[in-house]
């Protein structure tokens, strides 16, 4: 049986898939856990494919040789604009696939051409939060923190959901405070610990204390420490416009 964590085996499998589905591909890489040797039997293969035109741009999930493959499809001419958009999300999912991935095919050096700006973006880091986003983040985390401390241990469903929100919002603010990349899913703890091992570890351990012992105190303490580092909690005085509604009206 093939080792699912073997990068060479994962690369070979993705290398068979790309020409089968995209014979016109101008380049391809495999990234994520598979390229790093951290994949499990259930890990999908994150594969970036460079195409000659924009018709196929997007994300596609397929199953190949019994394994799920997640394809990130970009036209070569769209790479600069797409990478800028991906950076603005502060996670840069596709940028990381190209920056840290293993080359599958590169007949015309388009793969190498995409890797260079991707590596530059990863080194540059995410854009800073705007002042409005900082205020909004402080307000939201303050609200969730209040809810966490108010939640009854008897209402475990409510307590757990609020703890999840505290952790997610805190992770976004910690990574921004450290000018580091954010993440979701399994990448949230990885990016959080990379950004700030001490505070990130305290937040994760605090979340675990809620889950295992219904004890909100450690998570609340870590969230309070974070708020103190970013100008404090925010309640009264916060205000913002319904931007989505304003955009809809125009």
């Amino acid at each position: 049986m093939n080792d699912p964590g073997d990068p060479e085996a994962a690369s070979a499998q993705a290398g068979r898939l790309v020409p089968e589905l995209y014979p016109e591909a101008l380049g391809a890489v495999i990234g994520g856990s598979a390229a790093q040797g951290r994949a499990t039997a259930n890990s999908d293969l994150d594969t970036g494919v460079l195409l000659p035109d924009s018709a196929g741009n997007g994300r596609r999930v397929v199953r190949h040789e019994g394994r799920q493959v997640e394809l990130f499809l970009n036209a070569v001419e769209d790479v600069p604009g797409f990478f800028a958009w991906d950076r603005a999300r502060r996670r840069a999912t596709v940028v990381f696939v190209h920056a840290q991935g293993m080359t599958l095919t590169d007949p015309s050096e388009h793969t190498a051409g995409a890797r260079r700006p991707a590596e530059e973006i990863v080194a540059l880091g995410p854009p800073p939060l705007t002042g409005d986003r900082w205020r909004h983040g402080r307000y939201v985390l303050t609200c969730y923190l209040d809810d966490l401390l108010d939640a009854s241990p008897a209402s475990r469903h409510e307590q757990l959901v609020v703890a999840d929100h505290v952790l997610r919002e805190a992770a976004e603010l910690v990574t921004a405070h450290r000018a580091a990349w954010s993440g979701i899913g399994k990448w949230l703890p990885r990016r959080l610990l990379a950004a700030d091992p001490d505070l990130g570890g305290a937040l994760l351990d605090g979340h675990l204390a809620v889950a295992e012992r219904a004890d909100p105190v450690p998570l609340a303490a870590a969230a309070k420490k974070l708020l103190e580092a970013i100008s404090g909690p925010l309640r009264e005085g916060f205000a913002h416009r319904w931007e989505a509604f304003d955009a809809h009206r125009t």
Side-chain angles (χ1 to χ4, degrees):
M1 178 182 240
N2 290 333
D3 177 5
D6 179 8
E8 296 299 331
S11 178
Q13 183 176 351
R16 292 189 292 271
L17 170 66
V18 170
E20 178 182 323
L21 291 183
Y22 301 99
E24 76 279 22
L26 300 176
V29 298
I30 182 172
S33 299
Q36 298 171 8
R38 303 173 66 174
T40 66
N42 292 321
S43 296
D44 55 13
L45 302 182
D46 294 333
T47 306
V49 182
L50 299 173
L51 300 172
D53 59 64
S54 300
N57 274 354
R59 184 191 303 234
R60 181 182 179 187
V61 180
V62 301
R63 188 162 293 278
H64 181 260
E65 298 178 7
R67 193 165 188 176
Q68 184 168 295
V69 182
E70 189 165 17
L71 296 152
F72 301 98
L73 310 168
N74 292 97
V76 167
E77 64 180 13
D78 295 336
V79 163
F82 184 87
F83 280 8
W85 173 83
D86 203 24
R87 175 179 180 253
R89 298 191 305 150
R90 308 195 70 258
R91 298 195 300 273
T93 303
V94 180
V95 168
F96 269 92
V97 169
H98 284 274
Q100 299 180 350
M102 300 170 60
T103 298
L104 298 175
T105 180
D106 193 17
S108 303
E109 299 189 357
H110 289 295
T111 303
R115 185 184 300 276
R116 286 190 291 272
E119 291 174 339
E120 291 171 0
I121 289 173
V122 168
L124 178 63
L129 296 185
T130 64
D132 285 345
R133 180 62 185 88
W134 274 117
R135 287 188 291 274
H136 184 268
R138 288 167 54 211
Y139 171 73
V140 170
L141 181 56
T142 301
C143 290
Y144 287 144
L145 176 57
D146 291 343
D147 287 345
L148 178 67
L149 293 172
D150 286 343
S152 169
S155 302
R156 290 289 285 139
H157 294 140
E158 293 181 7
Q159 188 185 50
L160 287 168
V161 168
V162 173
D164 288 346
H165 282 291
V166 169
L167 178 61
R168 285 199 293 268
E169 190 62 34
E172 185 70 16
L173 295 174
V174 168
T175 53
H177 183 55
R178 297 301 185 190
W181 294 104
S182 65
I184 58 175
K186 64 187 178 184
W187 286 97
L188 185 150
R190 295 176 185 178
R191 296 271 171 83
L192 178 56
L193 289 172
D196 191 324
D198 293 334
L199 184 53
L203 286 163
L204 291 168
D205 289 345
H207 183 263
L208 199 60
V210 177
E212 293 182 342
R213 305 192 302 275
D215 180 6
V217 174
L219 179 57
K224 288 178 179 178
K225 183 176 181 181
L226 167 60
L227 285 168
E228 290 169 0
I230 57 172
S231 302
L234 182 57
R235 297 180 180 87
E236 58 273 10
F238 173 72
H240 77 102
R241 292 186 60 83
W242 301 117
E243 295 178 357
F245 176 68
D246 288 341
H248 171 73
R249 290 198 305 176
T250 58

